[in-house]
Amino acid sequence: AIKLRDCSNQEVPAVAGTVGTVQIDNAGPTVAVVAPNGGETWYVGSSQDIIWTASDPAGLASVDLAYTTDGTNYTPIVTGLPGTDVSYSWTIPAAASATVLVQVTAHDNLGNSASDASDADFTIAYHVITATAGAGGSIDPSGAVNVVHGEDQSFTITPNEHYHVSALLVDGVPQSLEPQPTGYTFPE
């Protein structure tokens, strides 16, 4: 007896001496990244939704997500998501770059796969606070300070001997000087 099986490992009826046909599916799924698809700015530490569409006549087994900051080397975000998923909430990593792409790879139930990446670059960035002090004192940290989304950033204000803090401006807005400040914390 001869037993034939198709790509799904299902038995195909066969009779010795007759012509038989087996359908072979070697086409990958259809997959498209919806977001991020170019031009966005996503901040380190924030949660952003990666969104895609995917389909395949044989059904989707799973989806993998990855990102690149150089267009070549991809870093996995998550693998093995259910094939029915069409979005994933991603906590943005500390990988600041203006040339980021996300890639979605869909795997069908017959072992075929296909990928799509963002159509254009998007940006992963830090929030930046620029801290400066006048000639009569110092602030620490000073200069451009990278801040992770959702985290506080504290600054220590130290006037020189015989000086005091005369103004504390945050985004150009005067802040209270009572009591005399020795620091400031930017809340998330």
Side-chain angles (χ1 to χ4, degrees):
I2 298 173
K3 288 191 177 182
L4 298 177
R5 297 197 175 270
D6 65 14
C7 293
S8 300
N9 203 28
Q10 298 300 313
E11 196 169 310
V12 176
V15 177
T18 63
V19 177
T21 320
V22 175
Q23 300 254 346
I24 298 175
D25 176 3
N26 58 5
T30 301
V31 59
V33 173
V34 175
N37 216 20
E40 301 90 345
T41 298
W42 288 358
Y43 290 96
V44 172
S46 68
S47 180
Q48 302 292 335
D49 288 337
I50 299 172
I51 303 170
W52 65 91
T53 61
S55 64
D56 189 277
L60 294 170
S62 64
V63 175
D64 302 331
L65 306 177
Y67 75 98
T68 181
T69 58
D70 65 11
T72 303
N73 301 301
Y74 280 84
T75 300
I77 296 170
V78 64
T79 59
L81 290 173
T84 53
D85 285 5
V86 294
S87 68
Y88 179 78
S89 184
W90 182 33
T91 300
I92 306 305
S97 173
T99 57
V100 185
L101 300 171
V102 161
Q103 180 182 65
V104 177
T105 302
H107 307 275
D108 72 15
N109 290 320
L110 301 177
N112 302 305
S113 62
S115 297
D116 184 49
S118 307
D119 288 342
D121 294 336
F122 70 97
T123 299
I124 291 178
Y126 286 95
H127 295 285
V128 177
I129 298 173
T130 303
T132 59
S138 64
I139 187 167
D140 185 47
S142 65
V145 179
N146 289 338
V147 181
V148 173
H149 183 84
E151 292 187 6
D152 295 347
Q153 176 61 53
S154 295
F155 293 87
T156 301
I157 301 167
T158 307
N160 290 344
E161 189 175 354
H162 306 296
Y163 283 82
H164 68 276
V165 177
S166 63
L168 175 60
L169 303 175
V170 176
D171 292 330
V173 177
Q175 303 298 305
S176 172
L177 295 178
E178 296 297 327
Q180 183 71 52
T182 59
Y184 186 84
T185 299
F186 281 87
E188 64 174 275

